Amino acid sequence: MRVSCPTITVTASAYTALDCFGDGAGYRLQNVVNRESRFVILQSITVKDKGGQAPGLNMMFFDADPTNSTFTDSSVLSIHATDWDMCVGEYIFDDADWLTTDGLHRIKTEKSVGLQLPNTASGDLWVVFQTVGTPNPAATDDYKIDFNFIPSA
């Protein structure tokens, strides 16, 4: 099942490594987990970059909305102690091997991610992004991120 992350609005200026990447709270991935399944497997992640920055991103997944934490775009993220228990997985999307399609636009798919994520009461997961390097987006809408999940039997 392919799930697109809600619109990611970023700051159109330089980031510092380990900054929160995106406009605030965790992004909700709706109806990812079939409530009858025990878990879901994140099979692949595709990032489309209109500005050619090809960022590396840390991705943290939560089984509930991490509302006690502070995720301010282009600032150091702060995960509250009570939200750490809801963090159910992470993935490091590195900045290598991007395909440049036309001299500027880039795309990259990480295949065979294989991250097993648990069932949730709502069937939803939340994801938070953190920069690995120092991207400098040209526009606030440069990024689109899609996830492909496989439900458990």
Side-chain angles (χ1 to χ4, degrees):
M1 163 185 17
R2 183 175 161 201
V3 177
S4 293
C5 190
T7 301
I8 297 173
T9 303
V10 298
T11 301
S13 64
Y15 283 75
T16 301
L18 303 181
D19 274 355
C20 187
F21 192 72
D23 57 356
Y27 292 97
R28 185 177 187 179
L29 305 175
Q30 294 183 310
N31 301 314
V32 171
V33 183
N34 177 335
R35 292 184 193 120
E36 297 172 4
S37 299
R38 292 189 345 243
F39 58 87
V40 66
I41 297 171
L42 176 57
Q43 180 184 29
S44 65
I45 303 166
T46 299
V47 178
K48 297 174 187 171
D49 175 5
K50 293 191 296 187
Q53 293 294 301
L57 297 171
N58 293 328
M59 301 180 184
M60 290 158 277
F61 296 88
F62 295 82
D63 63 3
D65 191 353
T67 57
N68 298 305
S69 298
T70 303
F71 304 120
T72 303
D73 184 47
S74 195
S75 297
V76 175
L77 61 86
S78 175
I79 300 177
H80 192 276
T82 57
D83 289 340
W84 267 119
D85 290 338
M86 297 184 301
C87 188
V88 293
E90 56 77 27
Y91 188 77
I92 299 171
F93 190 90
D94 67 43
D95 58 0
D97 303 322
W98 284 76
L99 172 67
T100 302
T101 58
D102 59 4
L104 179 62
H105 294 82
R106 294 184 181 193
I107 186 170
K108 179 179 178 181
T109 299
E110 289 274 340
K111 301 173 185 86
S112 303
V113 172
L115 180 61
Q116 181 176 309
L117 299 164
N119 191 351
T120 65
S122 66
D124 302 340
L125 291 169
W126 282 257
V127 61
V128 173
F129 304 103
Q130 180 185 43
T131 59
V132 174
T134 56
N136 188 4
T140 60
D141 65 347
D142 273 356
Y143 298 94
K144 173 109 172 86
I145 301 176
D146 295 321
F147 300 93
N148 191 30
F149 294 94
I150 300 172
S152 66

